Amino acid sequence: MATLTQLRSGIATNISNNITIVDVYAYVPDRAEPPLAVVGVLDTLEYDTTMARGSDKYLIPVRLFVANVDGQDSQETLDQFIKTSGTNSMKSAIESDLTLGGVASSVRVTEVRDYGAFELNNTNLLGVEFVVEVIG
């Protein structure tokens, strides 16, 4: 069975390998400059989703932040990451290796939520959250 640390690291690796214009963290960083993606703390863990101890289902949020300098420009920048496919698509990047380097059975981005203003390390940013379902 994979650990939560391995799953977060695998998600971060998938993003880093496919979207080079974003700094990616497998943990909440103390300091960071946008644009950045943070593979967040666990949202939900459902044990024993298949046959006794067959697998568990994790819901792991991934937040993407961009600088909030100019409203329209910031939104247009953020919009490019929520596309379902193509260059800079977070969905495509996260799902690029469905086994996260061999530690998961499947990975799927199930939704995008909380598009709006965030504060991270005393900095106002524009961001969005991707919900990642991992079966491991």
Side-chain angles (χ1 to χ4, degrees):
M1 291 258 145
T3 66
L4 180 56
T5 300
Q6 290 172 311
L7 298 176
R8 280 197 313 257
S9 178
I11 293 168
T13 297
N14 280 3
I15 298 167
S16 294
N17 287 344
N18 291 279
I19 301 178
T20 58
I21 62 171
V22 171
D23 290 330
V24 183
Y25 298 87
Y27 53 87
V28 179
D30 293 329
R31 296 184 197 278
E33 292 293 322
L36 71 138
V38 178
V39 182
V41 296
L42 181 67
D43 190 28
T44 304
L45 169 56
E46 183 180 341
Y47 293 119
D48 308 328
T49 57
T50 60
M51 302 166 54
R53 283 297 308 133
S55 62
D56 301 323
K57 180 169 79 172
Y58 299 78
L59 292 182
I60 302 171
V62 176
R63 288 190 174 150
L64 180 75
F65 302 103
V66 298
N68 194 5
V69 179
D70 172 86
Q72 181 178 349
D73 189 47
S74 297
Q75 285 182 307
E76 289 173 357
T77 299
L78 192 58
D79 289 351
Q80 70 176 310
F81 295 105
I82 64 172
K83 300 180 299 186
T84 57
S85 63
T87 304
N88 295 331
S89 163
M90 285 287 285
K91 179 174 175 52
S92 292
I94 292 168
E95 295 175 351
S96 64
D97 174 4
L98 297 177
T99 70
L100 300 177
V103 299
S105 298
S106 71
V107 175
R108 182 171 71 105
V109 178
T110 60
E111 68 178 298
V112 174
R113 64 184 181 195
D114 296 333
Y115 187 117
F118 287 86
E119 185 177 309
L120 181 67
N121 301 323
N122 296 316
T123 303
N124 292 321
L125 302 169
L126 189 64
V128 67
E129 183 175 273
F130 299 85
V131 178
V132 181
E133 178 187 85
V134 179
I135 305 297

